[in-house]
Amino acid sequence: MDMSGDRFEVTELSTVNDPPDSRLDAFNQHRNLLFSIAYRMLGSASDAEDMVQETYLRWQKISDQEIRSPRAMLVTIVSRLCINHLQLARVQREEYFGQWLPEPLLTATAADPTLHEINESLSMAFLVLLERLNPIERATLLLRDVFDYDYSEIASILGRNEAACRQILHRARQNVTQDRPRFSASAEEGERLMRQFIDASTHGDMDGLLALLSSDVVFYSDGGGKAAAVPNIIHGSRRVVALLLGATKKFVPKDQVVHVAQINGQPGFISYVNGRARAVVTVDVDGGLIARLYIVTNPEKLRGIPDLHTVN
């Protein structure tokens, strides 16, 4: 695997003579870790799955002499593929219509093994903060602070020396630490607030909504130019409530079905119309109030949300 500047070349080497099952078993053993890294790197479950599949293809073609540790090699491949993908995607995100939010991920239980660990590193708030970082900074921060790799391992994965990795991590932490989310709500409190929010917004209860939102609540929405959304971030409870009630009257069909769910490890719900996901809403709770509200309506980002008959 060669590196030129910040552009990694994950070369395809000659096919080895390992028994196919041996390579497949090693890959399957670490597949969940690979997806966990890729999703947090890219903010997209579909792109993460593509990176995992590409990792397997590259993994099959690496010679025995290059593999000291299957886990280390697989993580190196997926990390470098994600860095390359992000470098190409940055232009697309700069040209994205309105706000860009991560592709919402339905997290069924806190014990879900497919995501390494369900914690604040999966939250919309944290993934949005990661957009401040360049791909190398993003990879370094995640590998160190989320996946607990030491500096020597990160240096090997990124093809840098340890001193450079320490500097990159310091810079990355400075860019995200100040606004890093601190979630104080229990799962029960989060679900209770979510159900109260649904009830108040459904019935057009302005006072009820104001009682649930912090005065400096922040509202994010992502329609990608393909569905109803607000192109700018909205601040303040009264502005957010006015927007929500207006949007409910104008855009929400009467036949929608709401399903409360855990989204990216946080309380949320899925709005269904004709059995298909139309919007995904998730919130951050702080001090017993909703501090941030995220709504994704871009249909391309809802493809991974199961149909209503599947989640019920």
Side-chain angles (χ1 to χ4, degrees):
M1 298 183 195
D2 298 322
M3 183 181 74
S4 177
D6 282 344
R7 175 69 183 175
F8 294 103
E9 295 297 331
V10 188
T11 54
E12 294 190 9
L13 304 176
S14 58
T15 304
V16 298
N17 295 320
D18 261 8
D21 287 349
S22 171
R23 288 296 176 102
L24 180 60
D25 289 346
F27 173 79
N28 284 335
Q29 181 182 352
H30 302 294
R31 182 188 180 100
N32 293 341
L33 173 63
L34 302 179
F35 180 83
S36 294
I37 293 172
Y39 177 75
R40 288 170 172 86
M41 279 287 290
L42 305 178
S44 167
S46 55
D47 287 346
E49 190 58 46
D50 288 343
M51 293 301 101
V52 171
Q53 292 299 324
E54 182 63 24
T55 296
Y56 177 64
L57 296 177
R58 304 296 177 97
W59 168 241
Q60 286 183 305
K61 297 181 179 181
I62 292 177
S63 66
D64 289 342
Q65 291 73 23
E66 289 204 52
I67 302 175
R68 295 181 180 179
S69 160
R71 183 178 187 270
M73 178 59 73
L74 287 164
V75 169
T76 297
I77 296 172
V78 78
S79 298
R80 294 187 176 191
L81 285 171
C82 287
I83 289 170
N84 287 346
H85 185 86
L86 279 176
Q87 289 170 335
L88 295 173
R90 288 183 76 85
V91 174
Q92 295 176 343
R93 292 188 184 179
E94 289 171 359
E95 298 175 349
Y96 193 81
F97 182 84
Q99 303 168 53
W100 183 93
L101 289 176
E103 181 182 321
L105 196 63
L106 184 63
T107 46
T109 69
D112 190 339
T114 63
L115 291 164
H116 176 70
E117 184 178 351
I118 296 179
N119 55 28
E120 57 88 17
S121 72
L122 269 179
S123 70
M124 286 283 183
F126 184 67
L127 295 176
V128 168
L129 281 180
L130 290 181
E131 288 297 299
R132 299 178 181 180
L133 308 180
N134 67 43
I136 299 293
E137 291 171 340
R138 190 164 181 156
T140 304
L141 180 73
L142 288 171
L143 289 170
R144 178 60 182 166
D145 287 359
V146 176
F147 296 97
D148 201 30
Y149 279 79
D150 62 36
Y151 287 104
S152 63
E153 292 173 308
I154 297 171
S156 176
I157 291 169
L158 300 183
R160 310 234 170 172
N161 61 52
E162 291 187 39
C165 290
R166 291 177 185 274
Q167 291 177 344
I168 293 168
L169 180 64
H170 177 72
R171 187 168 64 245
R173 283 174 173 169
Q174 283 185 317
N175 285 331
V176 302
T177 298
Q178 181 176 354
D179 298 320
R180 193 158 180 170
R182 294 175 177 85
F183 303 120
S184 59
S186 65
E188 294 75 16
E189 182 184 17
E191 183 172 336
R192 176 181 59 79
L193 282 171
M194 193 76 264
R195 292 186 182 278
Q196 290 176 339
F197 174 84
I198 294 169
D199 184 67
S201 58
T202 301
H203 292 91
D205 182 358
M206 177 178 289
D207 290 338
L209 284 171
L210 287 171
L212 296 172
L213 305 181
S214 66
S215 60
D216 56 352
V217 65
V218 185
F219 174 89
Y220 303 81
S221 62
D222 178 352
K226 300 175 176 64
V230 180
N232 302 311
I233 298 173
I234 305 297
H235 298 265
S237 56
R238 292 198 173 275
R239 294 185 66 197
V240 170
V241 167
L243 173 67
L244 288 172
L245 294 181
T248 299
K249 290 180 181 179
K250 188 173 182 180
F251 297 112
V252 177
K254 293 182 179 180
D255 60 346
Q256 80 161 345
V257 176
V258 173
H259 176 78
V260 175
Q262 186 189 80
I263 307 293
N264 288 76
Q266 299 301 119
F269 68 85
I270 307 167
S271 170
Y272 285 97
V273 176
N274 296 323
R276 304 295 299 273
R278 175 185 171 276
V280 170
V281 178
T282 187
V283 300
D284 298 335
V285 176
D286 188 15
L289 296 172
I290 294 173
R292 285 172 291 272
L293 182 65
Y294 308 88
I295 300 180
V296 178
T297 55
N298 184 343
E300 293 184 355
K301 294 187 177 183
L302 301 180
R303 293 173 180 170
I305 300 297
D307 291 344
L308 182 59
H309 74 275
T310 304
V311 298
N312 278 345

